[in-house]
Amino acid sequence: MAQKATLGDDVFERLLDLIYSCELPPGAVVNESVLAARFSVSRGPVREAVRRLQGIQLVSREPFMRARVITLEPRAVRELFEMREALEGYASRLAAQRMDPADVEALAAGLDHNRRIGLGADDRQSPAETFDFHERIVRASGNARIVDTLCGDLYHLLRLYRRWSGSAGERRSIAYTEHRQIVLAIRNRDGELAESLMRSHIARAAENVLRHLPASAEAVGTDADVSAA
Amino acid sequence: MAQKATLGDDVFERLLDLIYSCELPPGAVVNESVLAARFSVSRGPVREAVRRLQGIQLVSREPFMRARVITLEPRAVRELFEMREALEGYASRLAAQRMDPADVEALAAGLDHNRRIGLGADDRQSPAETFDFHERIVRASGNARIVDTLCGDLYHLLRLYRRWSGSAGERRSIAYTEHRQIVLAIRNRDGELAESLMRSHIARAAENVLRHLPASAEAVGTDADVSAA
DNA sequence: TGAGCTATAAGTGTCAACAATTCAGGGAGC
DNA sequence: GCTCCCTGAATTGTTGACACTTATAGCTCA
């Protein structure tokens, strides 16, 4: 099915999954040869995939040293969410200026729909809708560069942090209210307000993730090694 | 001298130079084999360098197609500067909150120094000081992720656009005034104002670059080819 | 016993050949 | 005369082997 892309892209996805599933826990050594053997592939594609992960800053890198999956340091979390505040806030402002009226209504409708569906169900419902909401607004900014940065690189990291910190399904009803306010601001074409609301929204989400960080961030994955596979 | 890094890094720098100097003009085909021969190196390092350039979106990329240096489309310029507005604006706000008082004074002093030096000289003086000013503020934000994005990837592109559009040395005295206002806002710890001023400053710079774009952006480099070397 | 040095092993960087895919040109068919 | 397909050449993707760098473990020496 997804056999259309190149091997490097494939390995990239699989590596991402390995990291998501904590099979490659934070701090784990990323060994090109071992991974190549595991995926039944040469070191070339693996190397390429690892370099891409290094580009996202999902694994650390210095020339001849071995690469490691990043750890869950509060500082890195803070920096990631600050960057999201800057970029997504600005994207919201742009969206308020540029978003198609029909798309605004579709966004609002989708939001209500998700609320009705998710209300009675368990509270840990898929964070997919959250990503969907944010992604829609980001895409509405009409800036491909910002879209690529947020929806490509940064969201990988974001999902990772939420998963690692176990703070996924929380704050759902609060988030709904905040999302709704943002939509209203966009509908009113109030870019200033939309940006401000989005920033607050993300800042609160950051606090939530930070509160759920494992006590000793380092201990999670230090000395873990992929060769256990 | 700079023979410490890996070959891939080296080729990356040299490729960047080639693009800066328009030896690889916008739209030019980036041929791995040709470049490898030119640099007396295997295709591996070249491949790696090209992938990095693709990560910066400095050359386009689709799986099996040949890569090309990006062209000078107004849309891409607009998107780049919007992203800078978002990121550098936010960085200015953070800098106002976090910058060391001594560093603020040093920044102000450096600004005045550059002005005194550059005033009598030619107006096309090095844009290095501009980059230096912006880079200092960005670094003062204390957010390594934002610093890497702005000072690493985006500034390559920015330099490129300024060079291609020939809008380098303009706006110097105006820029000085704007820079000075930003420093004052930071000194007063007024993050809100610093962000606003930085955004306006960048927006004006964007207009300046856009105004200097060659009439038909496409015509500059279409069908140009590196194999002429 | 512990600090520092040395050899060995592990891992990354680089290379040249091979396979898979796309692009360009010409010829057949309508 | 135009379109479509087919074939050959150019280019990218992939592979396994080799070279160089770093880290680990053992050894010597205080």
Side-chain angles (χ1 to χ4, degrees), chain B residues 31 53 88 93 128 152 216:
Chain B
N31 186 321
L53 291 176
E88 273 193 55
R93 175 187 291 262
S216 81

mmCIF file of all heavy atoms in Angstrom, chain B residues 31 53 88 93 128 152 216:
data_model
loop_
_atom_site.group_PDB
_atom_site.id
_atom_site.type_symbol
_atom_site.label_atom_id
_atom_site.label_comp_id
_atom_site.label_asym_id
_atom_site.label_seq_id
_atom_site.Cartn_x
_atom_site.Cartn_y
_atom_site.Cartn_z
ATOM 1 N N ASN B 31 22.502 18.456 -9.671
ATOM 2 C CA ASN B 31 22.827 17.098 -10.087
ATOM 3 C C ASN B 31 23.890 16.495 -9.170
ATOM 4 O O ASN B 31 25.020 16.979 -9.109
ATOM 5 C CB ASN B 31 23.332 17.130 -11.536
ATOM 6 C CG ASN B 31 23.549 15.740 -12.060
ATOM 7 O OD1 ASN B 31 24.019 14.872 -11.349
ATOM 8 N ND2 ASN B 31 23.197 15.541 -13.312
ATOM 9 N N LEU B 53 19.810 20.794 2.352
ATOM 10 C CA LEU B 53 19.269 21.969 1.668
ATOM 11 C C LEU B 53 17.783 21.796 1.419
ATOM 12 O O LEU B 53 17.014 22.760 1.487
ATOM 13 C CB LEU B 53 19.999 22.185 0.345
ATOM 14 C CG LEU B 53 21.451 22.621 0.464
ATOM 15 C CD1 LEU B 53 22.110 22.711 -0.893
ATOM 16 C CD2 LEU B 53 21.547 23.958 1.173
ATOM 17 N N GLU B 88 10.667 36.112 15.223
ATOM 18 C CA GLU B 88 11.553 37.136 15.774
ATOM 19 C C GLU B 88 10.788 38.105 16.649
ATOM 20 O O GLU B 88 11.333 38.647 17.610
ATOM 21 C CB GLU B 88 12.258 37.896 14.635
ATOM 22 C CG GLU B 88 13.527 37.209 14.214
ATOM 23 C CD GLU B 88 14.399 38.082 13.316
ATOM 24 O OE1 GLU B 88 14.738 39.208 13.711
ATOM 25 O OE2 GLU B 88 14.704 37.608 12.224
ATOM 26 N N ARG B 93 10.068 39.657 22.379
ATOM 27 C CA ARG B 93 9.301 39.709 23.628
ATOM 28 C C ARG B 93 10.039 38.949 24.727
ATOM 29 O O ARG B 93 10.203 39.447 25.846
ATOM 30 C CB ARG B 93 7.923 39.084 23.391
ATOM 31 C CG ARG B 93 7.082 38.979 24.654
ATOM 32 C CD ARG B 93 5.813 38.192 24.383
ATOM 33 N NE ARG B 93 4.886 38.910 23.530
ATOM 34 C CZ ARG B 93 3.848 39.606 23.987
ATOM 35 N NH1 ARG B 93 3.625 39.691 25.285
ATOM 36 N NH2 ARG B 93 3.042 40.220 23.155
ATOM 37 N N ALA B 128 26.221 42.633 7.507
ATOM 38 C CA ALA B 128 26.597 41.774 8.620
ATOM 39 C C ALA B 128 26.092 42.345 9.933
ATOM 40 O O ALA B 128 25.619 41.619 10.801
ATOM 41 C CB ALA B 128 28.116 41.612 8.672
ATOM 42 N N GLY B 152 19.825 29.474 11.897
ATOM 43 C CA GLY B 152 20.310 28.412 11.035
ATOM 44 C C GLY B 152 19.648 28.432 9.680
ATOM 45 O O GLY B 152 20.187 28.968 8.709
ATOM 46 N N SER B 216 10.300 39.586 -13.778
ATOM 47 C CA SER B 216 9.766 38.237 -13.909
ATOM 48 C C SER B 216 10.646 37.302 -13.113
ATOM 49 O O SER B 216 11.760 36.980 -13.509
ATOM 50 C CB SER B 216 9.719 37.819 -15.377
ATOM 51 O OG SER B 216 10.964 37.386 -15.795
#
